[in-house]
């Protein structure tokens, strides 16, 4: 016959487990408080300052991102300028930076093309103060293109 070990009472098991894990839980709580910036003693941490981006930062981020997508051959690179969130002025910068990056990729490889795209996007966006000029597809009548499908809008 095998001996049956008596089962400890429910409370005794819980007290024993809690007694063994309480120091570890306290240490874990203190670590979480320290790493999350929580203060003790009733002090409150100041909320972080909101992060703001300049128009040049936004322009650089957009153009650099879309140039990289085009260099990688992403299917998203085929979106039009509105879908990419670019202004007309940013689209002009994008096209110029992409052409330069493609030439750099042929000459020195893709990492060099990415670096050039980041550098040129920053330089050109800062020079244009974010390049936020007209996001509308309006052109003066002298610059309007005539559709090739044979349809011509009637003059008003």
């Amino acid at each position: 016959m095998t001996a049956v070990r008596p089962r400890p009472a429910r409370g005794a098991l819980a007290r024993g487990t809690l007694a063994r894990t309480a120091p570890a839980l306290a240490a874990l709580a203190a670590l979480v408080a320290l790493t999350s910036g929580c203060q003790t003693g009733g002090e409150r941490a100041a909320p972080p300052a909101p992060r703001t981006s300049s128009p040049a930062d936004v322009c650089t981020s957009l153009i650099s991102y879309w140039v990289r997508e085009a260099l990688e051959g992403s299917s998203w690179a085929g979106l039009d300028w509105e879908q990419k969130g670019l202004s007309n002025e940013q689209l002009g910068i994008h096209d110029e930076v992409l052409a330069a990056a493609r030439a750099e990729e042929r000459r020195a490889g893709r990492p060099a093309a990415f670096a050039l795209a980041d550098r040129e996007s920053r330089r050109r966006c800062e020079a244009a103060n974010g390049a936020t000029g007209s996001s509308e597809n309006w052109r003066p009548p002298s610059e309007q293109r005539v559709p090739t499908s044979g349809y011509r809008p009637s003059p008003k």
Side-chain angles (χ1 to χ4, degrees):
M1 260 173 103
T2 60
V4 176
R5 218 165 94 179
R7 195 174 203 189
R10 246 189 185 155
L13 180 62
R15 281 190 302 273
T17 303
L18 183 59
R20 286 190 306 271
T21 59
L25 289 174
L28 180 61
L31 179 63
V32 168
L34 286 174
T35 58
S36 66
C38 294
Q39 301 292 321
T40 58
E43 297 175 21
R44 293 188 141 224
R51 185 174 172 201
T52 58
S53 298
S54 71
D57 292 337
V58 173
C59 172
T60 300
S61 177
L62 282 169
I63 292 173
S64 178
Y65 174 82
W66 287 115
V67 167
R68 285 172 172 260
E69 288 291 301
L71 290 172
E72 291 176 341
S74 164
S75 61
W76 295 104
L79 298 175
D80 69 18
W81 61 276
E82 287 178 305
Q83 293 168 318
K84 291 178 180 178
L86 301 174
S87 69
N88 285 347
E89 198 174 356
Q90 289 166 348
L91 177 63
I93 294 171
H94 168 273
D95 291 346
E96 292 167 2
V97 171
L98 179 58
R102 283 188 172 143
E104 182 71 6
E105 182 178 31
R106 286 189 297 274
R107 190 182 70 69
R110 187 165 289 165
F114 285 167
L116 179 131
D118 293 343
R119 198 172 51 249
E120 282 299 299
S121 296
R122 170 62 60 191
R123 184 182 70 77
R124 292 176 190 225
C125 286
E126 284 178 352
N129 195 26
T132 57
S134 181
S135 292
E136 297 177 25
N137 204 13
W138 181 85
R139 303 269 190 261
S142 62
E143 294 179 19
Q144 288 183 1
R145 298 183 196 134
V146 176
T148 58
S149 65
Y151 169 79
R152 294 181 69 136
S154 61
K156 292 185 180 178

